Amino acid sequence: MPSYIEFQNVKKIYHMGEVDIEALSGVDFSIDKGEFVVIAGASGAGKSTILNILGGMDSVSSGKIYVDGNEISSYNARQLTTYRRYDIGFVFQFYNLVQNLTVQENVELATQICKDPLDIVETIRAVGLEDRMHNFPAQLSGGEQQRVAIARAIAKNPKILLCDEPTGALDYHTGKAVLKLLQDTCRNQGVSVIVITHNLALTAMGDKVIKVRNGKIESVTVNEDPLPVERIEY
Amino acid sequence: MPSSLWKDTLREIKKTLGRFFSIFAIVAIGVAFFAGVKASVPDMKYTADAYFDEYNLLDFRIVSTVGFTKEDVQAIREVKGVEGVDATYTMEALTMVGPQQLTLKVHALPEADPRADDPDYINQANLQEGRMPRTSGECLIEKNDIGDSGLKIGDTIVLSSGTNTDISESLKTKEYTIVGTTFNPNYLSYEKGSSSIGSGKIDNYIMILKDDFKSEYYTEVNVTVKGAKDYNSYEEAYFEITDKVKTALEDVGADRSEFRFEEIKKLANEKYEEGLAEYEDGKKLYEEEITKAKDALEDAKIKLAVGENTLQIEKKNYEVKMAEGKQQLETAKAQLASGQQIYQNIKKEFDERKPQLEEQLTKLEGQLDTIKEQVQRIDEQIAQTKQQLEQPGLTDLEKELLNQRLTSLQQQKDVAEAALPMIEPTISAIRSQLENTQSQLQMMEEYLRILQQQIDEGERELEEGKKTAELQFALAEQELIDGRASLISGQMELAKQEKKGLEELELAEEKLEKAKRDIEELPQPQWYVLDRHSHYSYMDYGSVADRMDGISKVFPLFFFLVAALVCLTTMTRMVEEQRSMIGTMKALGYGKAAIAFKYVFYAFVASVLGSIVGCAIGMTLFPTVIFNAWALMYTIPHIKFVMQPVLAFTASFIVIGITMAAAYAAVYKELMEVPSQLMRPKAPKVGKKILLERITVLWSRFSFIQKVTARNIFRYKKRFLMTVIGISGCTALLVAGFGIQDSIGEVVSRQYGDIMQYDLSVMFDKDASLSQKEEIMDALAKDGRFEALMGVGQYNGNAYDGSETEAITIVVPSDIEAFKQFVSLHTRIGQKEQELSGDSVLISEKLSMNLNVSKGDTMIIDDGDGIQREVKVGGIVENYIGHYVYMAPGYYKDIFHVRQVDTALLAKLNDAAPEVEVTLGNELMKDEQITSVTFYSGIAESFQDTIASLSFVVVVLIIAAGMLAFVVLYNLTNVNISERVREIATIKVLGFYDKEVSAYVYRENIFLTMIGAFCGLFLGIGLHQLIMNLAELESVMFGRNIALLSFVLSFLITMLFSIIVNLVMYRKLKEVPMVESLKSVE
Ligand SMILES: Nc1ncnc2c1ncn2[C@@H]1O[C@H](COP(=O)(O)OP(=O)(O)OP(=O)(O)O)[C@@H](O)[C@H]1O
Ligand SMILES: [Mg+2]
């Protein structure tokens, strides 16, 4: 019986004209349901590649990926879209809010296509933006925008929440607040949350820490006693 | 420039081929349209001029009211600058092809086989089929593709003059065999101008040998000018050459025409006198006839009176006789009655006395018998006694005794016998008395019977006499009634004839007066040296070409605007994408100019390439298409292109300038910012509430996606403008294209259905008298095939507008009310009926436009005699084909001093089937007083064919519309996608299916397209109006309507274009990589 998420010898090769770039050269790891996983590694190590493939935005070159018992590595484009639609929530480094939509509408954009979304207003309240509901992204700070992005991801009621450097563009405090939000979501709603970070200090908060290096898994550490975000200093 | 910039630009182009293509394509389309349509004007003119030169078209046509003598021609030849001189003849003639009358212009060929290089061979025939005429009685006729006259090589045509004079006074023979078909530079178009005879319009021309004319004077002299062929006659330089010669020729004309003025005047006077004499004769004849008719009527009247008297007397006589007869009968009846009475009396008496007499008689006879018995007994006793005496033995005593006895017996017998004569006469007397009375009675009876018989007979006779007399009287009375009736109708007929004759006389008098006035006003004969400005075909074709110039002014403006917008949106996007790079370069120390250069250069390369392609394609394609379109109506051979570098460069420069300016405008704003700001990602365009959101009722109904679309649409104004303008242009082109078909297509049905509601018109012979015309009309009125008919006066005249003249048809109905059911006079807009009033005319709409007159203005017209008269315009009526001036009879009389006379007959048929028309036409043409019969179904058909061929315009417009839509929508989508790559990638990551993604992007496209298409419907109406104004022929007005279906179609086709572009772009959308969403904001 495989784990909730299972990577089996996953390879990803990018073809750039003449040269082949091996972004992932055989990655194996597993993640359980409701786990808060931190992926860390140097720039260019392949973190984003892992996340993209897991998020159904990219396909593998070889190897297998199982999510909740389904082999998503064999999905076609449409199946992948459906998978993204119902199972995945994505939080981007640069928020990727639709500038032309208000906070509420940005969340709506995601929920209107799901089967069983959370209540929009509730979700926005949960990220502390009920007052800004009708503001446009440009009228919000970076942290607020990222919280909207998280609200958008959470409101879809996904099984897995993927966050690629969610704090990358944020200052320390704001970053912490965002991470707290993610951790709370994981704890309260039982969503598997996978967060990429450069910041090794943050590894302390993960249930599991996966370190990537040169397209390979350097180490997988299970943290018996993850710290709440508030107590982490970096 | 630094080569790195070059490289950068080239790489940029390679990277953004779609964008580059947008600019390139819109520039190419714009330039192609502008340069193409504009180039077709000189191309058309150049082609025509080359054709003119090749067939030695005249430079001048000299005409004079009095013709030319050989000396005149010699004088012309001596003028400096004159090259070729062709003193020639032309005339108008009529011929019949089936029931259809054709008006022909007859031209002369100088000789049997003229040499093309002979400078005196002017207006050369461009033989198409067959051969040139060689002998008298042969002719060429124009090759006719459209409006086929039905004449072909080998046919013989018979010419007639269409006027009072016999054609044989002008031509040696009137029969001509067609030996060839030809074109002639003199006639480029199938419209050949107006005629003074026949239908008023020249249908075709023929060329015969000069020798076939037998006029004393040349009717015209064609002249060419030395060196004029070196110039394009549609250009000013040509006229600079010819104008000098023109003045010289006019001088010659002034000298020469002096000579003949008096002569002409004398001739005209003679003619007038002749006419006058004729009129006098006519008058005398008329009076005689009228007197004769009156006398005859008087006789008839007297006869009638006599007849009436006789009848009266006869009746009296009859009555007397009847009374007498009755009297006699009565007397006879009285006699009879008294006779009967007497008879009865006698009979009664007789009957009473008869038994008495008979008893007496019986008694007497009994006595007689007794006596006779006594006698007999005595006789027997005597005999016995005698016997006893005889017996022997008788004693004497005995004998004595016996003798004694005998004696006593004898005595006894005598006594007895003596009584007898006494009785017997009594008996016979009684008897005769009886018999007498009896016979008397019998006689009386007989008499009475006869009398009765006589009475009966008398009565019968009386009855019979009465009957016959009454019958005779009835007959006589009927005869009298008939006589009276015929007297009255005779009187009426006389009155009518008298009036008609009087009218005819008055008319003749008026005509004479007019002729007299004309002679008085007879202008000094003058030479008219007509240059090509007065050449119908030259001007007609030139104006057509100029009209294309008008179109070329509208289209480009529009395309350039779209080009500017396309370039602006494209470059704005490009600059936005490269903000950070611009910032970097600025930071690196590049100047504004150097940085801007890249973008301006990008636009420059795109527009230069676009211009080259646009010029190359446009300047060959459009002139060819346009030329060929007009070639359907003009007889010019193949198009010749003329190099037009100025045009090509102008067009290119304009559009290159526009795109470069747009590019600079796009980059300018960014250049103004400091590098640090540029290097930071640009604050994304702030989302804003749009106006629509304030209308909460509406906004809250919008679906989520609809809201997004609405916001996007109003956020990007440039794109909005570009798309709406571009797409509206596309729809407008389609509307115009389809509208052209609608408007042209309906011309025929409106002209010959709604306006002219009659089926045929019949032209009377010019010399038909009023009564002859009336006879024809009366006969036709009885013909069951006609539903209705009426007479109208139709005159071919001219309307003047400064130097221009327009051929018009003056229509003067005999009865204004009745005319309404034949021709509907109404305004086009509003369809308001216009009344013919006594103090103004109604004119057709196109005429009002050509002359620029409107209701209430005055205008100058003539009725073909050249004397100009001013009329007031009382209204403008809808009309599409030809120019018409409608006048009430009263106003006509006021203006022309001649009363209205029916010259034609308009008729409606009960059944306008082709067979009916053919038989009817043939029947009508048999009447000598009818010169032509025109059925409108035929005209409608041939016109329909001509204009149907214009539908190519629609194809060109649809293609142009498609290209425009494609470029604009392609650009819009391209810009939208590139700008929203992150957004698209993001929603893909969110799990939108491909269809949902494209809907997200395309909804906007489709909505903008719809707005654009909607605007385009209105724009199309204007464009259509404009094109119709420009494309209209001189005497034809096209409709201005556009069918609803055309709007619908245009809208749908625009949407279809949009869908096609969206499908093409769908691939691109699908390929947007999701990892784009991870990139930082640039
Ligand atoms: N679309 C691509 N085409 C070619 N090579 C790629 C592509 N995406 C990633 N790579 C390469 O794959 C390798 C891994 O990239 P990846 O983005 O996963 O790194 P990372 O660990 O996320 O780095 P960072 O912390 O800088 O984001 C890199 O060497 C990168 O150059
Ligand atoms: Mg990364």
Side-chain angles (χ1 to χ4, degrees):
Chain A
M1 161 80 197
S3 304
Y4 188 58
I5 298 170
E6 184 96 28
F7 270 58
Q8 291 179 0
N9 195 22
V10 172
K11 288 186 181 166
K12 177 69 188 176
I13 297 158
Y14 289 109
H15 305 282
M16 297 283 290
E18 300 285 294
V19 283
D20 285 355
I21 296 166
E22 199 174 36
L24 298 179
S25 37
V27 170
D28 293 276
F29 64 84
S30 62
I31 294 170
D32 290 329
K33 197 172 165 75
E35 254 184 333
F36 192 101
V37 179
V38 174
I39 299 180
S43 186
K47 308 182 292 290
S48 297
T49 308
I50 289 172
L51 212 65
N52 291 351
I53 290 172
L54 178 57
M57 290 157 62
D58 217 337
S59 54
V60 298
S61 299
S62 69
K64 285 182 175 149
I65 300 169
Y66 294 94
V67 173
D68 202 7
N70 300 313
E71 190 194 341
I72 63 155
S73 50
S74 65
Y75 277 7
N76 63 19
R78 190 173 167 86
Q79 285 171 314
L80 280 176
T81 307
T82 314
Y83 165 68
R84 286 199 302 276
R85 194 172 179 126
Y86 301 125
D87 297 346
I88 300 295
F90 217 99
V91 179
F92 305 91
Q93 182 177 2
F94 301 103
Y95 335 130
N96 290 17
L97 297 179
V98 178
Q99 294 298 319
N100 217 14
L101 300 181
T102 61
V103 168
Q104 185 187 355
E105 287 162 353
N106 263 291
V107 179
E108 243 173 55
L109 183 66
T111 56
Q112 56 149 351
I113 56 168
C114 318
K115 274 186 210 147
D116 188 20
L118 303 182
D119 183 74
I120 296 167
V121 181
E122 276 305 314
T123 315
I124 294 172
R125 185 170 298 138
V127 300
L129 288 172
E130 63 265 41
D131 299 336
R132 316 299 296 270
M133 204 118 87
H134 298 295
N135 284 115
F136 286 98
Q139 296 161 331
L140 302 178
S141 75
E144 285 165 340
Q145 287 190 43
Q146 192 59 295
R147 286 192 343 238
V148 176
I150 291 168
R152 182 173 69 186
I154 301 170
K156 280 176 78 180
N157 198 8
K159 292 176 182 157
I160 305 163
L161 196 57
L162 304 175
C163 317
D164 194 346
E165 297 188 46
T167 58
L170 302 176
D171 65 48
Y172 176 71
H173 289 292
T174 322
K176 260 176 111 169
V178 165
L179 286 172
K180 165 108 181 65
L181 195 57
L182 290 174
Q183 201 174 33
D184 290 352
T185 308
C186 177
R187 299 288 177 252
N188 301 341
Q189 283 163 35
V191 178
S192 308
V193 176
I194 300 163
V195 177
I196 290 179
T197 182
H198 278 108
N199 198 330
L200 290 172
L202 290 181
T203 53
M205 65 183 284
D207 295 325
K208 190 179 266 174
V209 176
I210 299 171
K211 288 197 175 150
V212 187
R213 185 179 199 164
N214 284 336
K216 283 209 172 82
I217 303 297
E218 187 186 32
S219 68
V220 176
T221 324
V222 177
N223 203 345
E224 291 304 332
D225 186 20
L227 292 176
V229 178
E230 296 85 349
R231 293 175 46 200
I232 294 172
E233 298 290 333
Y234 57 92
Chain B
M1 80 183 77
S3 65
S4 64
L5 259 176
W6 252 116
K7 261 189 228 152
D8 191 32
T9 308
L10 284 180
R11 202 169 301 133
E12 192 65 47
I13 290 171
K14 232 164 132 189
K15 220 168 67 190
T16 58
L17 259 182
R19 204 167 280 172
F20 187 79
F21 172 76
S22 294
I23 300 177
F24 164 83
I26 194 70
V27 165
I29 295 173
V31 169
F33 255 88
F34 179 65
V37 177
K38 228 174 165 68
S40 57
V41 180
D43 282 343
M44 279 169 81
K45 288 182 173 175
Y46 176 76
T47 307
D49 187 64
Y51 180 55
F52 292 155
D53 289 347
E54 188 178 350
Y55 290 95
N56 206 24
L57 179 69
L58 54 84
D59 289 311
F60 296 118
R61 188 167 78 100
I62 310 174
V63 290
S64 139
T65 42
V66 294
F68 300 90
T69 61
K70 288 216 161 56
E71 291 74 36
D72 291 336
V73 176
Q74 192 50 42
I76 291 170
R77 210 177 269 285
E78 279 159 15
V79 171
K80 196 167 155 260
V82 165
E83 184 167 60
V85 176
D86 180 20
T88 184
Y89 310 92
T90 61
M91 64 178 298
E92 290 165 359
L94 302 178
T95 189
M96 299 300 302
V97 180
Q100 209 78 32
Q101 186 189 50
L102 288 184
T103 308
L104 299 177
K105 187 98 179 182
V106 185
H107 286 269
L109 283 162
E111 54 201 345
D113 258 313
R115 291 197 342 268
D117 58 358
D118 178 359
D120 288 349
Y121 178 28
I122 296 172
N123 297 344
Q124 299 180 358
N126 173 9
L127 194 69
Q128 297 294 306
E129 301 155 335
R131 61 168 175 83
M132 297 291 281
R134 284 187 201 125
T135 59
S136 171
E138 292 182 339
C139 74
L140 293 179
I141 192 159
E142 183 183 48
K143 182 169 186 249
N144 226 343
D145 297 325
I146 295 176
D148 191 8
S149 60
L151 291 172
K152 53 187 188 304
I153 294 178
D155 287 354
T156 300
I157 52 177
V158 182
L159 302 183
S160 65
S161 70
T163 62
N164 294 352
T165 41
D166 191 2
I167 195 146
S168 57
E169 284 181 24
S170 327
L171 294 176
K172 281 185 190 147
T173 167
K174 57 181 179 180
E175 287 190 20
Y176 291 89
T177 308
I178 301 171
V179 296
T181 63
T182 184
F183 287 138
N184 194 299
N186 216 9
Y187 296 101
L188 287 188
S189 97
Y190 291 102
E191 256 184 74
K192 298 180 174 63
S194 55
S195 71
S196 57
I197 57 168
S199 61
K201 187 176 133 266
I202 293 177
D203 298 305
N204 208 326
Y205 60 85
I206 60 171
M207 300 185 80
I208 62 175
L209 292 180
K210 203 183 260 178
D211 289 342
D212 275 337
F213 284 92
K214 51 179 201 192
S215 172
E216 213 178 318
Y217 304 106
Y218 297 113
T219 57
E220 59 186 60
V221 180
N222 295 333
V223 173
T224 56
V225 174
K226 268 190 197 114
K229 284 197 180 49
D230 300 340
Y231 297 92
N232 184 340
S233 57
Y234 283 106
E235 279 164 16
E236 211 32 60
Y238 162 85
F239 287 101
E240 273 166 28
I241 298 261
T242 58
D243 279 353
K244 280 182 218 130
V245 182
K246 184 179 177 184
T247 327
L249 284 170
E250 274 166 346
D251 290 345
V252 173
D255 294 345
R256 306 251 3 136
S257 47
E258 196 72 43
F259 280 118
R260 296 194 50 210
F261 184 47
E262 284 314 310
E263 192 186 329
I264 298 300
K265 206 161 183 175
K266 216 178 86 199
L267 218 72
N269 265 322
E270 266 168 28
K271 241 195 178 150
Y272 169 74
E273 294 296 335
E274 233 169 70
L276 196 65
E278 226 168 76
Y279 164 73
E280 295 294 348
D281 286 354
K283 199 168 170 183
K284 219 193 275 158
L285 192 70
Y286 160 75
E287 275 158 6
E288 275 171 22
E289 291 286 321
I290 291 292
T291 323
K292 234 191 256 170
K294 271 185 178 157
D295 288 354
L297 272 178
E298 210 51 48
D299 281 358
K301 213 166 164 185
I302 291 168
K303 258 188 203 156
L304 198 63
V306 169
E308 248 162 17
N309 259 351
T310 317
L311 179 66
Q312 225 53 42
I313 291 167
E314 286 291 312
K315 264 187 179 165
K316 281 239 173 71
N317 282 349
Y318 157 77
E319 269 160 24
V320 170
K321 257 189 204 156
M322 277 303 264
E324 259 172 21
K326 266 187 192 152
Q327 190 62 47
Q328 274 171 356
L329 264 180
E330 286 311 312
T331 330
K333 272 183 189 161
Q335 263 174 359
L336 179 68
S338 72
Q340 265 164 342
Q341 192 60 48
I342 293 170
Y343 170 77
Q344 291 300 339
N345 288 347
I346 293 177
K347 195 162 178 213
K348 198 170 143 210
E349 208 180 328
F350 173 65
D351 285 346
E352 270 170 21
R353 283 202 39 201
K354 199 177 168 187
Q356 215 180 331
L357 283 177
E358 271 167 349
E359 199 186 329
Q360 211 175 357
L361 198 61
T362 320
K363 221 199 259 154
L364 283 176
E365 272 168 348
Q367 275 176 353
L368 195 63
D369 285 347
T370 322
I371 295 174
K372 276 184 181 165
E373 263 174 42
Q374 242 176 348
V375 170
Q376 213 174 345
R377 241 185 301 129
I378 297 172
D379 277 347
E380 276 172 15
Q381 280 173 341
I382 291 173
Q384 237 177 344
T385 317
K386 277 184 179 168
Q387 251 177 339
Q388 280 173 337
L389 271 174
E390 298 289 294
Q391 274 174 349
L394 272 179
T395 67
D396 287 334
L397 194 33
E398 272 178 332
K399 270 184 186 180
E400 201 37 52
L401 225 35
L402 278 172
N403 276 336
Q404 246 180 351
R405 204 177 155 188
L406 253 178
T407 314
S408 113
L409 275 171
Q410 201 69 45
Q411 262 174 338
Q412 256 179 334
K413 191 186 168 187
D414 287 347
V415 172
E417 271 180 347
L420 267 177
M422 269 166 56
I423 293 168
E424 267 175 350
T426 313
I427 284 173
S428 61
I430 288 172
R431 221 170 238 155
S432 79
Q433 197 189 349
L434 264 173
E435 270 164 18
N436 272 354
T437 311
Q438 199 104 25
S439 77
Q440 203 184 351
L441 273 173
Q442 258 169 13
M443 259 163 63
M444 251 179 119
E445 246 168 44
E446 181 68 14
Y447 166 74
L448 282 176
R449 214 194 64 221
I450 287 169
L451 200 60
Q452 183 70 45
Q453 229 169 36
Q454 271 173 350
I455 287 171
D456 286 350
E457 219 162 275
E459 262 172 350
R460 212 177 48 238
E461 262 167 31
L462 205 62
E463 202 55 44
E464 252 164 40
K466 198 172 162 190
K467 253 190 219 154
T468 40
E470 268 164 9
L471 195 70
Q472 265 167 358
F473 289 147
L475 277 175
E477 256 158 21
Q478 188 56 46
E479 234 166 73
L480 276 175
I481 288 169
D482 287 352
R484 239 176 270 133
S486 74
L487 179 65
I488 289 169
S489 73
Q491 272 165 339
M492 262 155 49
E493 177 65 22
L494 176 66
K496 204 166 89 180
Q497 289 295 344
E498 203 173 0
K499 201 171 133 245
K500 271 272 139 62
L502 211 60
E503 264 174 34
E504 223 149 331
L505 275 175
E506 278 168 3
L507 185 69
E509 201 177 340
E510 281 161 9
K511 277 186 180 160
L512 272 174
E513 266 165 32
K514 192 177 171 197
K516 197 169 176 185
R517 246 202 316 272
D518 287 0
I519 291 174
E520 276 158 18
E521 288 169 19
L522 189 72
Q524 175 104 10
Q526 201 183 335
W527 281 16
Y528 297 97
V529 181
L530 305 173
D531 62 11
R532 287 198 185 170
H533 282 314
S534 312
H535 190 274
Y536 185 85
S537 278
Y538 167 92
M539 291 304 286
D540 182 35
Y541 192 77
S543 72
V544 160
D546 288 334
R547 264 179 256 147
M548 296 311 303
D549 211 28
I551 291 181
S552 73
K553 282 192 185 93
V554 197
F555 279 99
L557 211 74
F558 181 78
F559 279 100
F560 286 174
L561 180 64
V562 176
L565 282 166
V566 166
C567 187
L568 195 62
T569 47
T570 312
M571 295 313 290
T572 305
R573 178 62 210 145
M574 193 161 134
V575 169
E576 266 170 20
E577 273 174 19
Q578 302 187 356
R579 264 171 67 86
S580 60
M581 209 203 75
I582 293 171
T584 315
M585 285 178 68
K586 253 192 144 174
L588 288 176
Y590 280 95
K592 276 183 197 166
I595 297 166
F597 178 80
K598 176 183 161 187
Y599 302 98
V600 175
F601 186 64
Y602 184 93
F604 174 77
V605 175
S607 54
V608 165
L609 288 180
S611 296
I612 292 170
V613 172
C615 281
I617 294 177
M619 289 177 81
T620 49
L621 181 72
F622 281 93
T624 310
V625 167
I626 291 167
F627 180 86
N628 286 337
W630 288 115
L632 294 170
M633 275 177 282
Y634 292 90
T635 61
I636 296 188
H638 304 290
I639 186 166
K640 292 193 168 71
F641 293 105
V642 56
M643 289 301 287
Q644 299 174 61
V646 178
L647 173 63
F649 279 114
T650 316
S652 303
F653 279 141
I654 292 174
V655 77
I656 291 167
I658 288 174
T659 44
M660 281 166 66
Y664 187 74
V667 77
Y668 178 77
K669 219 169 71 200
E670 308 292 330
L671 284 179
M672 288 301 106
E673 292 185 23
V674 291
S676 59
Q677 212 165 358
L678 283 170
M679 301 245 275
R680 289 222 325 257
K682 184 181 185 177
K685 230 179 171 167
V686 181
K688 261 195 309 207
K689 299 229 159 158
I690 56 171
L691 209 66
L692 215 57
E693 292 180 50
R694 308 250 155 94
I695 314 165
T696 345
V697 195
L698 206 73
W699 187 253
S700 56
R701 297 245 166 105
F702 275 23
S703 80
F704 175 73
I705 295 268
Q706 280 170 334
K707 287 179 186 168
V708 180
T709 311
R711 284 228 188 88
N712 281 343
I713 284 169
F714 293 106
R715 192 157 64 141
Y716 303 105
K717 299 208 173 53
K718 267 179 260 169
R719 258 171 260 172
F720 180 92
L721 267 184
M722 173 193 75
T723 315
V724 169
I725 291 178
I727 294 302
S728 64
C730 161
T731 314
L733 287 173
L734 290 170
V735 168
F738 289 124
I740 287 170
Q741 269 189 329
D742 293 338
S743 306
I744 295 180
E746 81 153 2
V747 161
V748 171
S749 68
R750 293 201 66 73
Q751 181 75 25
Y752 297 111
D754 298 351
I755 299 169
M756 301 195 162
Q757 296 174 355
Y758 49 92
D759 298 307
L760 76 158
S761 72
V762 175
M763 292 280 286
F764 291 124
D765 189 273
K766 249 188 170 159
D767 300 322
S769 69
L770 294 179
S771 43
Q772 280 169 328
K773 290 176 193 171
E774 189 141 316
E775 243 170 63
I776 293 174
M777 291 189 31
D778 288 347
L780 294 185
K782 287 189 198 106
D783 193 319
R785 287 170 294 186
F786 290 93
E787 184 191 324
L789 73 169
M790 79 172 294
V792 295
Q794 272 188 12
Y795 312 93
N796 301 325
N798 299 291
Y800 297 87
D801 172 28
S803 57
E804 302 265 316
T805 64
E806 303 275 355
I808 57 170
T809 306
I810 301 172
V811 179
V812 189
S814 52
D815 178 342
I816 296 175
E817 272 311 306
F819 190 59
K820 284 179 184 166
Q821 61 161 316
F822 289 88
V823 177
S824 168
L825 299 172
H826 55 254
T827 57
R828 181 170 56 81
I829 296 159
Q831 300 279 309
K832 266 214 310 272
E833 194 180 324
Q834 298 287 296
E835 290 285 346
L836 273 174
S837 73
D839 62 354
S840 61
V841 297
L842 297 178
I843 64 172
S844 54
E845 190 169 350
K846 181 77 186 184
L847 182 63
S848 82
M849 293 197 286
N850 287 3
L851 299 178
N852 196 20
V853 293
S854 46
K855 191 174 172 170
D857 292 352
T858 55
M859 62 185 278
I860 309 275
I861 61 172
D862 72 31
D863 65 347
D865 63 0
I867 296 173
Q868 307 188 349
R869 299 169 208 267
E870 201 178 76
V871 291
K872 194 165 155 258
V873 177
I876 304 213
V877 294
E878 179 175 9
N879 188 69
Y880 295 95
I881 301 167
H883 298 314
Y884 288 89
V885 172
Y886 296 97
M887 289 177 102
Y891 191 51
Y892 176 78
K893 173 92 200 277
D894 290 348
I895 296 295
F896 290 99
H897 309 295
V898 182
R899 72 193 55 205
Q900 185 270 4
V901 179
D902 293 344
T903 63
L905 214 164
L906 309 182
K908 285 172 139 178
L909 294 178
N910 281 320
D911 172 22
E915 321 83 67
V916 178
E917 291 190 347
V918 169
T919 45
L920 191 61
N922 288 333
E923 275 171 40
L924 288 173
M925 286 310 292
K926 280 194 194 119
D927 196 311
E928 290 218 333
Q929 307 307 331
I930 292 177
T931 55
S932 78
V933 179
T934 313
F935 290 97
Y936 287 93
S937 54
I939 291 192
E941 241 164 62
S942 78
F943 191 79
Q944 191 83 61
D945 290 347
T946 312
I947 49 189
S949 53
L950 273 173
S951 59
F952 88 99
V953 173
V954 181
V955 178
V956 172
L957 289 178
I958 289 175
I959 291 171
M963 291 198 299
L964 188 63
F966 187 82
V967 172
V968 167
L969 288 174
Y970 175 80
N971 189 49
L972 172 75
T973 317
N974 213 6
V975 168
N976 272 350
I977 290 176
S978 79
E979 186 182 70
R980 294 205 216 141
V981 149
R982 270 170 65 78
E983 203 172 303
I984 292 162
T986 306
I987 63 168
K988 277 185 166 181
V989 172
L990 284 178
F992 277 60
Y993 291 119
D994 287 338
K995 259 198 206 131
E996 290 166 335
V997 174
S998 50
Y1000 182 80
V1001 176
Y1002 286 156
R1003 213 170 286 260
E1004 205 176 310
N1005 275 14
I1006 288 173
F1007 190 73
L1008 282 179
T1009 309
M1010 275 189 344
I1011 295 181
F1014 189 71
C1015 295
L1017 295 181
F1018 294 96
L1019 195 64
I1021 297 174
L1023 181 66
H1024 169 253
Q1025 194 94 9
L1026 188 90
I1027 293 179
M1028 293 319 279
N1029 279 343
L1030 293 168
E1032 242 163 30
L1033 306 172
E1034 173 97 355
S1035 65
V1036 175
M1037 188 176 88
F1038 292 145
R1040 292 291 187 274
N1041 74 308
I1042 304 171
L1044 186 65
L1045 182 69
S1046 300
F1047 285 115
V1048 174
L1049 265 182
S1050 305
F1051 194 87
L1052 291 182
I1053 291 179
T1054 310
M1055 297 316 291
L1056 183 75
F1057 284 145
S1058 165
I1059 288 166
I1060 291 172
V1061 173
N1062 287 351
L1063 284 181
V1064 171
M1065 298 304 274
Y1066 180 69
R1067 249 172 65 89
K1068 192 165 174 180
L1069 210 55
K1070 228 175 131 178
E1071 279 165 9
V1072 168
M1074 276 175 279
V1075 284
E1076 284 290 334
S1077 59
L1078 306 178
K1079 290 193 182 141
S1080 67
V1081 186
E1082 286 185 68

